[in-house]
Amino acid sequence: MSDLSKLEDKAGTVRSGEELPVAELSRYLREHFPELQGELKVTQYAGGASNWTYRLQFANADWILRRPPAGTKAKSAHDMGREYRLQKALAPVYPYVPKMLHYTDDESIIGAEFYVMERVAGIIPRKNMPRELELSEQQTRQLCQNALDCLIELHRIDIHQHDLAGLAKGEGYTERQVLGWNKRYRQAKTWNVPKSSKIMAWLEQHMPQNERLCMTHNDFRFDNLVLDPTEPSKIIGVLDWELATIGNPLMDLGNSLAYWIQADDDAIARSTRRQPTHLPGMLSREQVIAYYCKRMDVDVQDFTFYEVFGLFRLSVIAQQIYYRYHHKQTRNPAFKNFWFLVHYLHWRCRKLIKQQRKA
């Protein structure tokens, strides 16, 4: 096995316009953590279309700083305080949460609210595994099952026993999600994407009557997991809790499945893959559902609603990004053809609905 320095997720040069005031930040942190030694080195993680994530390195500390992007208007969309408090409350009963160290809403320090946490050093599975890491089919299957077990462990937490129920509204979650994402799509629609009123109406008409509530992550993907570099099928951290809330666990799984690209998927789906779910040994989407339902002891004869919701939700996220590009609020060429992705995701929604009607 290669050493950690080669396999661990790397932070790089800070992007232009996203620099931190290093001197002010260092001075502030030393006031709250007087044991810090050496100069502060700041690097930044690539990606992250939402919150900005930095690595802070002192001689005797290795931390992560999270802050909202510049120009954020709605604090509710990038609430660092909520993200910090949720993880801190969850940490005693969910060992995969990084240790929270400090939060401040004083924007005079770096120009925004932020929080600091301990860095979980390990491998983050991106689109492809690191070249130095070769997993057998059996190891890949174990990794896949361990990842699902992490999600199941989250969903099994007794939110009432551990005083977590007050972290969010809870009851009525499914309806709020369906109506909310339908509204967001209508607001972000451009001329070159479908109206898809039938898909939105179908979701509203097929909301499950019974709703179990638990702690949900809502962005549970392999690229938000940290693997043990000495035993890479083992999960040691779960990252990015921005969307976590008290919600419907089956919708959480449906959201994850929207990103789950199999080796036998069509070329368009394979071109959108951003995690290594195509590797030999990975479960198929159908197998994921069966594994989850068996471990959770739930009887879901028809998972179509949750799959369609996950795909539609992903299409709205893509359309919101494309809307910004279409109206020249961003010039990132990577977003130029997101309208086509919206068409494709809605095609998959219609296909699933049609299959369900035939069943």
Side-chain angles (χ1 to χ4, degrees), residues 167-194:
L167 289 172
K169 291 180 181 178
E171 188 176 351
Y173 173 84
T174 303
E175 183 178 16
R176 285 196 304 276
Q177 286 291 298
V178 171
L179 298 181
W181 286 103
N182 284 358
K183 181 180 179 181
R184 292 181 194 104
Y185 183 71
R186 294 188 185 101
Q187 290 175 334
K189 188 183 175 302
T190 49
W191 68 270
N192 50 354
V193 295

Side-chain angles (χ1 to χ4, degrees), residues 22-302:
V22 176
E24 290 86 342
L25 177 60
S26 178
R27 185 164 51 249
Y28 175 83
L29 291 174
R30 290 174 196 278
E31 288 175 2
H32 290 82
F33 301 91
E35 71 277 12
L36 289 172
Q37 300 172 9
E39 295 296 315
L40 169 59
K41 177 186 177 184
V42 177
T43 48
Q44 186 179 27
Y45 286 96
S50 186
N51 296 321
W52 297 347
T53 305
Y54 303 82
R55 183 178 179 182
L56 311 181
Q57 291 173 278
F58 291 90
N60 60 337
D62 194 353
W63 295 347
I64 298 294
L65 182 147
R66 296 257 292 170
R67 59 150 290 173
T72 302
K73 301 296 183 185
K75 186 179 177 181
S76 59
H78 302 276
D79 193 335
M80 296 292 95
R82 178 187 179 277
E83 193 174 325
Y84 176 85
R85 290 188 296 272
L86 186 146
Q87 291 178 85
K88 194 162 188 177
L90 193 56
V93 291
Y94 195 65
Y96 308 101
V97 177
K99 183 180 178 181
M100 298 295 107
L101 297 172
H102 185 75
Y103 163 76
T104 181
D105 59 1
D106 184 352
E107 298 186 3
S108 68
I109 302 153
I110 67 167
E113 61 169 342
F114 67 91
Y115 73 85
V116 178
M117 63 185 181
E118 284 191 353
R119 175 173 171 266
V120 181
I123 306 161
I124 296 181
R126 304 287 181 183
K127 180 179 179 179
N128 297 303
M129 287 290 196
R131 264 182 261 176
E132 301 88 347
L133 182 63
E134 293 185 12
L135 297 182
S136 67
E137 189 169 332
Q138 183 178 357
Q139 287 175 309
T140 302
R141 176 60 58 95
Q142 189 62 58
L143 168 61
C144 184
Q145 292 177 344
N146 287 348
L148 292 172
D149 288 343
C150 274
L151 183 62
I152 290 166
E153 188 175 339
L154 178 69
H155 291 170
R156 282 178 172 168
I157 293 171
D158 189 326
I159 57 175
H160 300 287
Q161 179 184 340
H162 298 290
D163 296 324
L164 299 172
L167 289 172
K169 291 180 181 178
E171 188 176 351
Y173 173 84
T174 303
E175 183 178 16
R176 285 196 304 276
Q177 286 291 298
V178 171
L179 298 181
W181 286 103
N182 284 358
K183 181 180 179 181
R184 292 181 194 104
Y185 183 71
R186 294 188 185 101
Q187 290 175 334
K189 188 183 175 302
T190 49
W191 68 270
N192 50 354
V193 295
K195 288 183 179 179
S196 292
S197 52
K198 289 183 179 179
I199 296 174
M200 291 187 281
W202 185 91
L203 284 168
E204 292 180 17
Q205 293 162 9
H206 288 79
M207 287 186 284
Q209 298 302 307
N210 299 318
E211 179 183 65
R212 175 178 170 259
L213 295 173
C214 68
M215 180 60 65
T216 57
H217 185 276
N218 290 310
D219 203 13
F220 198 89
R221 309 190 311 256
F222 278 96
D223 53 344
N224 278 331
L225 304 181
V226 186
L227 313 184
D228 185 336
T230 62
E231 190 181 341
S233 62
K234 180 181 177 182
I235 314 296
I236 59 173
V238 178
L239 308 176
D240 201 348
W241 292 84
E242 180 183 359
L243 301 176
T245 191
I246 305 299
N248 184 332
L250 296 178
M251 294 176 83
D252 200 4
L253 181 61
N255 293 339
S256 295
L257 287 174
Y259 293 95
W260 199 281
I261 306 301
Q262 303 171 186
D264 61 352
D265 277 334
D266 60 64
I268 298 174
R270 294 199 309 271
S271 72
T272 68
R273 183 177 59 79
R274 55 185 298 179
Q275 54 180 346
T277 47
H278 67 303
L279 294 176
M282 284 285 179
L283 298 177
S284 66
R285 287 185 292 273
E286 188 175 320
Q287 289 171 327
V288 167
I289 296 168
Y291 182 90
Y292 177 92
C293 290
K294 182 178 180 180
R295 291 295 310 275
M296 287 293 288
D297 194 24
V298 294
D299 181 18
V300 183
Q301 294 181 348
D302 182 12

